[in-house]
Amino acid sequence: MKNFSIAKSRRLRGTPYTSRIEKQGVTAYTIYNHMLLPAAFGSLEDSYHHLKEHVQVWDVAAERQVEITGKDAAKLVQLMTCRDLSKSKDGRCYYCPIIDDNAGLINDPVVLRFNENKWWVSIADTDVILFAKGLAIGNKFDVNIIEPEVDIMAVQGPKSFKLMEKVFGEKITNLKFFGFDYFDFAGAKHLIAQSGWSKQGGYEIYVENNEAGLKLYDHLFEIGDEFNIRAGCPNLIERIESGLLSQGNDMDNADNPYECGFDKYINIDSDVEFLGKEKLKKIKSEGIKRKLMGVKIDTDKISVTGSMNLTDEKNNIIGELRSGCYNPTFKQVIGIAMIKKPYFEAKQTFKIDINGNSFNGTVCDLPFI
Ligand code: THG
């Protein structure tokens, strides 16, 4: 496969860390929220093993914040998500599917609640700010909606806990999963959450002051040798085996949250008001007609650049592969597929055509690990 370079421009924004990661060996970018998001630092497999053993610092500034403040802020955030936020607490993060009136997924952000009147919606790759503004205008809500200058740096991997304790002191060890608070470094305050797009553990630092953020970035690498620190990025192999879904890849606006296995983030029985609630009730009573599942394929290579059909022995299409890659732990290709009823059962077998060759595969539950 031939590789092409990315033509940078003002429209395709870099991040405060771009110059750092380009010195540290970034080899591929993807585009996310109109920004550069590093996709590889050399071998994906090598980075996968490193992430599961040591600690990495990721430039995930492309996970943009939609800041919603004002008297009706809580109302607007609730209108956008099927997760009941009526009992949400200040200083906590919530993974929240955002859906439209037809219950189609718009985004799957992490929502940060500062207080009733201030929220950040930490978005995946769709323009949530436009959706939020449209709803606010249509509903005459008293809110202010902006994209603040916040550039997330993630510290991920099992050694992230010791590294961060060394920088921020014992106080940071009290931070719970999906909790956030402010921590001092070199005279600057940083909002830090225990979260991140890997299941290896770690933190996300929501940098609001570029200069202080870069100072912290450099400091992590100055003292990180003993933890075998490296620059990294969300890893395709790790996120697939962990079942972390990717908006636009694994699901899009034609999918509803039940089909994506988001059941525990859907509250149709409480009395909060949100878009798509009636539709969700209907889907729940009728039952879903397809579901995101794991798949294992008996091959050691795949490049998923679009949906790929999965067929049964009679050539019926049973679903489509949406993400996938070779996994060195499973020693085969594993992936995430939207599987049609009645085929969405573990152990269902299928065939897939990859570059003119047919391979066998099996459906399984998510997550893989
Ligand atoms: N961090 C922040 N913003 C983000 C992401 C992130 N925005 C874009 C994208 N990632 C959104 N997608 C996800 C997907 C999964 C999780 C977070 C963001 C996640 N899920 C946990 C899980 O599945 O185990 C916990 C969810 C829960 O139960 O609360 O962390 O990574 N800032």
Side-chain angles (χ1 to χ4, degrees), residues 32-33 58 60 62-65 83 92-96 107-112 121-125 152 154 156 177-178 193-199 204 206 234 242-247 251 262 264-265:
Y32 199 85
N33 288 321
W58 298 356
V60 283
E63 294 168 354
R64 302 311 287 171
Q65 307 311 302
R83 183 165 182 176
R92 297 281 312 163
C93 304
Y94 297 89
Y95 184 41
C96 296
N107 205 285
D108 67 328
V110 175
V111 171
L112 287 78
V121 182
S122 185
I123 60 170
D125 188 22
I152 302 182
Q156 298 287 296
F177 183 67
F178 265 41
Q194 197 201 307
S195 55
W197 213 53
S198 88
K199 289 266 179 153
E204 292 183 302
Y206 289 72
S242 299
L244 289 168
L245 301 183
S246 168
Q247 171 76 27
M251 68 282 195
F262 285 145
K264 64 175 167 172
Y265 311 118

Side-chain angles (χ1 to χ4, degrees), residues 121-134:
V121 182
S122 185
I123 60 170
D125 188 22
T126 63
D127 295 314
V128 171
I129 192 165
L130 305 181
F131 188 61
K133 284 190 181 192

Side-chain angles (χ1 to χ4, degrees), residues 31-64:
I31 306 300
Y32 199 85
N33 288 321
H34 318 280
M35 285 181 93
L36 296 174
L37 175 64
F41 285 74
S43 149
L44 277 192
E45 274 191 46
D46 189 45
S47 299
Y48 162 81
H49 292 300
H50 180 268
L51 172 62
K52 292 182 77 155
E53 245 180 90
H54 305 292
V55 56
Q56 297 182 351
V57 178
W58 298 356
D59 168 3
V60 283
E63 294 168 354
R64 302 311 287 171

Side-chain angles (χ1 to χ4, degrees), residues 15-282:
T15 87
Y17 317 111
T18 303
S19 63
R20 297 291 195 283
I21 65 171
E22 292 189 347
K23 281 196 201 106
Q24 291 171 310
V26 63
T27 53
Y29 282 119
T30 184
I31 306 300
Y32 199 85
N33 288 321
H34 318 280
M35 285 181 93
L36 296 174
L37 175 64
F41 285 74
S43 149
L44 277 192
E45 274 191 46
D46 189 45
S47 299
Y48 162 81
H49 292 300
H50 180 268
L51 172 62
K52 292 182 77 155
E53 245 180 90
H54 305 292
V55 56
Q56 297 182 351
V57 178
W58 298 356
D59 168 3
V60 283
E63 294 168 354
R64 302 311 287 171
Q65 307 311 302
V66 176
E67 178 179 292
I68 302 176
T69 52
K71 202 165 62 53
D72 293 328
K75 231 189 203 171
L76 175 57
V77 174
Q78 183 62 77
L79 189 62
M80 293 196 290
T81 181
C82 54
R83 183 165 182 176
D84 182 352
L85 292 171
S86 62
K87 293 182 190 71
S88 59
K89 298 190 181 78
D90 298 354
R92 297 281 312 163
C93 304
Y94 297 89
Y95 184 41
C96 296
I98 293 188
I99 59 173
D100 61 22
D101 54 333
N102 198 33
L105 272 164
I106 298 270
N107 205 285
D108 67 328
V110 175
V111 171
L112 287 78
R113 176 183 158 129
F114 290 79
N115 57 59
E116 185 80 7
N117 300 325
K118 179 178 177 183
W119 304 72
W120 279 356
V121 182
S122 185
I123 60 170
D125 188 22
T126 63
D127 295 314
V128 171
I129 192 165
L130 305 181
F131 188 61
K133 284 190 181 192
L135 288 172
I137 296 163
N139 286 289
K140 297 189 167 55
F141 282 155
D142 181 358
V143 288
N144 187 37
I145 305 171
I146 58 161
E147 181 184 309
E149 266 184 54
V150 174
D151 297 283
I152 302 182
M153 163 190 350
V155 181
Q156 298 287 296
K159 296 182 183 169
S160 57
F161 300 98
K162 285 279 173 244
L163 171 66
M164 291 290 275
E165 187 180 349
K166 195 167 166 178
V167 178
F168 293 98
E170 210 193 318
K171 184 188 164 208
I172 200 157
T173 62
N174 298 325
L175 196 58
K176 292 198 180 74
F177 183 67
F178 265 41
F180 72 84
D181 206 344
Y182 286 91
F183 298 88
D184 294 309
F185 172 71
K189 269 196 187 323
H190 294 283
L191 191 168
I192 302 180
Q194 197 201 307
S195 55
W197 213 53
S198 88
K199 289 266 179 153
Q200 306 313 310
Y203 299 91
E204 292 183 302
I205 307 162
Y206 289 72
V207 171
E208 292 177 77
N209 169 332
N210 280 355
E211 210 178 313
L214 288 172
K215 207 184 240 184
L216 172 58
Y217 186 97
D218 293 338
H219 183 70
L220 290 170
F221 285 94
E222 274 157 28
I223 64 153
D225 274 352
E226 65 172 298
F227 306 107
N228 202 353
I229 194 170
R230 275 198 209 166
C233 56
N235 184 281
L236 184 66
I237 308 173
E238 195 276 341
R239 78 97 180 156
I240 288 177
E241 77 176 19
S242 299
L244 289 168
L245 301 183
S246 168
Q247 171 76 27
N249 288 321
D250 305 315
M251 68 282 195
D252 59 36
N253 194 230
D255 306 316
N256 71 58
Y258 285 119
E259 293 170 334
C260 301
F262 285 145
D263 303 53
K264 64 175 167 172
Y265 311 118
I266 306 173
N267 302 105
I268 47 171
D269 297 326
S270 77
D271 56 12
V272 295
E273 195 191 327
F274 58 82
L275 289 176
K277 192 172 185 180
E278 290 312 310
K279 183 68 195 246
L280 282 178
K281 285 183 183 167
K282 188 159 174 270

